[in-house]
Amino acid sequence: MEKNISNEHVIELEDVHYSVPDGTEVLSGVNLNVKRGEIMCVVGASGAGKSTLLKLIAGLLRPTSGSVKVLGVDITFLTERQLNDVRKRIGVVFQFGALFDSLTAFENVAFPLREHTNMSEDEIRERVFELLDAVGMRGSEHLLPAELSGGMRKRVGIARALALGPEIVLYDEPTSGLDPIMAGAINSLIADMRERYGVTSVIVTHDIHSAFELSDRMAMLHDGRILVCDTPRAIKSNHHPFVQRFIHSGVREV
Amino acid sequence: MARRREVLNNRSSAEGQSERTARQPQWVGEFIIVPIVYLGEVALLLAETVRAMFSERLRLRQLVEQMDEVGVRSLLIVLLTVSSAGVVLSLYTAKELATRGAGHFVGWLLAYTIARELGPMVTAIVVAARVGAAFAAEIGTMKVTEQIDALRSLAVDPVAYLVVPRMLACIIMMPALTMLADVSGTLSGMLIASTVGVHPNIFLDSIRSFLTVTDLAVGLIKSVPFGILIAIVSCHQGLETTGGAMGVGRATTNAVVLSLILVYVADVIMSSVLPK
C-alpha cells in the first residue's frame, strides 16, 4: 500500500504541561511529532489526558507550559482570532459528535461552508451531499441531531469536520460506543481520507484493536507523559510492563 | 521520583496558601472578592460582545430568531403581568382619590407610575425569568455537550455567533415591550378606574395634562440597560457552565437571580440619575 507520509512535521508538541484550574496536572511533559499524511493513534486509559491532548492541538486549550506547533505555526500564544486561520485547516471530530442541536444534519455539515466560503447554495448542497455520502448518511440530512443515534451523530460530525477540506483531522474516540461493523466503517473512512486527500489524522482512542489496525505510529499516554511512540509492530514487542498490560487487557481501565 | 517530589511540593504550597487565606476572615472572600471577580468577568464579556458586534458580520437569521424569542414570545406574559399591576394599582388608588375629590389625578398617577417604574421593571423581571433562563439553559447545554468547542474548532467566535444576536435582540425588544406594557397597564387601570367613578375621559385628560414626554422617555431608556444586563449575565452563565445537566440547572437559576439583582441595582442608580 502506497502511503503518502512525508517527513515534514505538521504537529509538534514540545514538553507540554497542562494543569486544570484546580491545580491537578493532567499532562506533565508531553513530546509528540506527527508527520504529514500520517495516522497517529494516541491510546491510554480513560482519564489519562487523551482528550486534553487533542484539545491542545486544536487550540481549544492552552498549555500551562511548553509549546504547541501546528502546520508550522506556534499556536501556544495566539489569540482566538489568530487561531482561527489555523483552525480552518484542522477538523475536529468530537466524542459525541457535538452537532448543533438546532440545526439539521444537512445544516450542520453546511455550517462551516456557509461561515467560511462564498459557495452558492447549489454548490453547498452538492458538497454536503458528497460528504454525507462519504460517511454513509445520505438520506438522513433532514433529521435533527436529537433524532439521530449516537453512531449517526458521530458520522455527521465527521462529515462536518471534513467540510472545509482540512489538512489535519483530530478524532476524539471515533469508534467508542459503536457496533463493530460501524467502527470498521469509520476506520476505513479515516484510512480512505488519507489515501484520497493525504489528510493527517490524530486519533485518540482506548480501542486498541482499531489503533493497531489503523495507525502508522501509536503513542501510549500514561501518567501525563508519552510512554512509548512507535509503529504498532514495535509496540507489540515492547517489554514495558504497562504496555504489555495495556495491550493484553484488551484495554479496559488500568 | 522527581515527579513525586513535585507533587509533594505542590501539596505543601497549596497548604501554605490555605493557611494564608485562613487568616483573613471568610466573608472577605465571599462578599467582596467573589462579587468583584464576577463583575469583572461580566464586564469583560460585555466588552468582547461590543467588539464582536462591530468587527464581525451580523448574523441576521440568529438575530431574527432571538427577537422572536425575546419580543414576540414574551409579549403576552409581559402584557398580562403589567396589566395586572395596573389593575391592582387602580383598585387601591382610584376609589380613595375619587372619594376625596382628586379623581382627576388618578390617570396621571397610574400613567406616571407605570411609565417610569412599573412598565420597564415588570418587563425586565418577566424577560429575565423567561428569556434569561432560556439563554443560560441553551448556551449552557451547548457548553457541556462540547458545541461551544465545536464552534471554536470551526473558527467561529461563540461570542459573535451566540451572544451578539441575543444582546441585540434584548436591546431592540426591551423598549418595544416596555412601550406596549405601558399602554396595556395604563388602559387596564383606566378600565378599573371607570368602575369606581373616574370616567375614561377624565382619566385620559389627566394623563394629557400632567404626564410629560420625559416620564415616558425615562422608562424606555431604563429598559435598554436592563436588556443588556439580562443578556450578558445570562449568556455569561451559559458560557461558564460546567458539570453536565446539574450544571445547566445551576447556571439557569443563577442567570435569573443575578440578572434580577443587577436589574434592581441598575434601576436604583438610573432612577436617581435620570431627570425627575
Side-chain angles (χ1 to χ4, degrees):
Chain A
M1 191 165 57
E2 168 75 20
K3 292 186 180 174
N4 321 308
I5 303 174
S6 75
N7 278 325
E8 177 202 356
H9 287 159
V10 285
I11 299 171
E12 292 165 74
L13 272 66
E14 221 180 285
D15 194 29
V16 168
H17 291 249
Y18 180 78
S19 305
V20 288
D22 75 7
T24 320
E25 198 167 51
V26 182
L27 299 177
S28 29
V30 168
N31 290 292
L32 186 69
N33 294 316
V34 182
K35 296 175 192 148
R36 188 178 283 281
E38 194 173 33
I39 296 181
M40 163 73 81
C41 286
V42 179
V43 296
S46 300
K50 304 192 296 289
S51 298
T52 306
L53 187 66
L54 213 60
K55 287 188 178 169
L56 284 165
I57 299 173
L60 298 173
L61 292 176
R62 232 174 260 282
T64 322
S65 67
S67 78
V68 180
K69 257 173 118 176
V70 176
L71 294 163
V73 183
D74 189 338
I75 65 167
T76 322
F77 299 109
L78 292 190
T79 64
E80 279 286 302
R81 264 187 292 173
Q82 292 169 320
L83 270 171
N84 283 345
D85 291 330
V86 180
R87 282 181 180 149
K88 284 178 203 165
R89 300 162 68 191
I90 307 178
V92 184
V93 178
F94 290 89
Q95 190 171 358
F96 302 104
L99 300 180
F100 304 125
D101 346 92
S102 54
L103 305 180
T104 64
F106 180 94
E107 290 168 324
N108 261 287
V109 181
F111 182 86
L113 300 171
R114 290 191 173 138
E115 285 289 328
H116 297 302
T117 67
N118 297 320
M119 290 163 83
S120 70
E121 272 307 301
D122 284 341
E123 288 168 317
I124 287 178
R125 186 168 318 125
E126 196 178 316
R127 174 83 177 131
V128 172
F129 281 137
E130 179 191 320
L131 288 157
L132 287 173
D133 258 338
V135 296
M137 284 295 292
R138 184 74 182 265
S140 310
E141 62 273 2
H142 56 282
L143 296 178
L144 288 169
E147 300 165 315
L148 299 173
S149 74
M152 290 160 98
R153 268 180 235 168
K154 216 166 253 192
R155 282 186 282 162
V156 175
I158 294 177
R160 185 179 65 184
L162 296 176
L164 292 174
E167 292 161 58
I168 301 176
V169 183
L170 310 172
Y171 298 87
D172 193 355
E173 302 281 4
T175 54
S176 76
L178 297 186
D179 62 80
I181 296 173
M182 187 41 66
I186 287 196
N187 285 342
S188 45
L189 179 71
I190 295 171
D192 195 42
M193 288 314 297
R194 192 255 305 274
E195 298 312 314
R196 276 205 277 177
Y197 307 110
V199 171
T200 310
S201 307
V202 178
I203 302 156
V204 147
T205 182
H206 59 244
D207 174 2
I208 196 133
H209 303 295
S210 291
F212 274 126
E213 185 187 310
L214 206 57
S215 50
D216 301 310
R217 280 191 306 152
M218 292 168 67
M220 200 165 271
L221 195 62
H222 180 57
D223 236 356
R225 277 162 220 252
I226 302 280
L227 200 59
V228 279
C229 178
D230 217 330
T231 60
R233 184 182 299 188
I235 294 254
K236 272 182 187 162
S237 56
N238 189 303
H239 290 302
H240 193 289
F242 176 78
V243 176
Q244 283 304 317
R245 201 151 47 121
F246 204 84
I247 295 170
H248 294 298
S249 63
V251 178
R252 296 288 138 239
E253 322 304 79
V254 182
Chain B
M1 201 55 203
R3 186 182 150 71
R4 186 72 45 46
R5 210 171 306 126
E6 238 173 67
V7 171
L8 283 175
N9 282 342
N10 277 343
R11 189 174 304 148
S12 65
S13 76
E15 270 162 15
Q17 212 162 32
S18 66
E19 242 167 62
R20 234 173 296 133
T21 46
R23 249 180 261 135
Q24 51 182 228
Q26 208 181 347
W27 59 265
V28 172
E30 253 174 63
F31 295 101
I32 297 179
I33 298 175
V34 170
I36 289 175
V37 169
Y38 172 73
L39 289 177
E41 281 179 12
V42 170
L44 278 179
L45 180 62
L46 180 62
E48 180 68 12
T49 309
V50 171
R51 186 201 60 73
M53 203 151 57
F54 292 106
S55 66
E56 297 233 5
R57 82 189 160 79
L58 182 65
R59 279 140 175 113
L60 214 57
R61 188 181 141 181
Q62 264 69 32
L63 178 62
V64 172
E65 264 172 29
Q66 293 308 324
M67 282 170 66
D68 180 50
E69 173 75 24
V70 177
V72 182
R73 285 165 200 255
S74 304
L75 184 59
L76 202 65
I77 182 72
V78 164
L79 293 189
L80 209 64
T81 317
V82 177
S83 298
S84 76
V87 164
V88 172
L89 195 61
S90 183
L91 275 175
Y92 281 133
T93 57
K95 199 171 175 191
E96 284 297 310
L97 288 173
T99 52
R100 281 153 216 254
H104 59 287
F105 281 127
V106 176
W108 166 75
L109 179 71
L110 251 78
Y112 181 83
T113 318
I114 291 174
R116 279 206 172 241
E117 183 61 27
L118 276 181
M121 196 60 181
V122 171
T123 305
I125 292 172
V126 171
V127 169
R130 229 195 123 266
V131 177
F135 286 176
E138 191 183 355
I139 297 179
T141 306
M142 291 184 74
K143 175 78 190 305
V144 299
T145 56
E146 292 188 312
Q147 291 176 57
I148 303 289
D149 276 343
L151 275 177
R152 292 171 63 211
S153 82
L154 292 168
V156 173
D157 176 11
V159 172
Y161 187 74
L162 297 170
V163 185
V164 169
R166 282 168 174 77
M167 188 167 98
L168 279 177
C170 282
I171 291 176
I172 297 167
M173 292 321 256
M174 277 296 290
L177 282 173
T178 304
M179 191 137 67
L180 294 172
D182 287 352
V183 172
S184 84
T186 310
L187 288 184
S188 52
M190 182 176 84
L191 213 66
I192 293 301
S194 71
T195 65
V196 296
V198 180
H199 193 273
N201 277 345
I202 299 177
F203 190 95
L204 291 176
D205 220 37
S206 155
I207 298 178
R208 228 172 282 132
S209 26
F210 298 118
L211 195 76
T212 61
V213 179
T214 317
D215 296 331
L216 271 174
V218 163
L220 296 181
I221 288 169
K222 271 179 174 182
S223 72
V224 174
F226 290 169
I228 295 174
L229 281 174
I230 293 169
I232 289 295
V233 167
S234 307
C235 291
H236 174 258
Q237 284 297 321
L239 289 172
E240 293 296 310
T241 305
T242 51
M246 214 171 74
V248 175
R250 206 181 315 123
T252 309
T253 313
N254 286 347
V256 177
V257 172
L258 291 168
S259 302
L260 287 179
I261 293 175
L262 289 178
V263 163
Y264 298 151
V265 173
D267 188 41
V268 171
I269 294 174
M270 283 190 292
S271 301
S272 56
V273 170
L274 288 171
K276 301 286 179 314

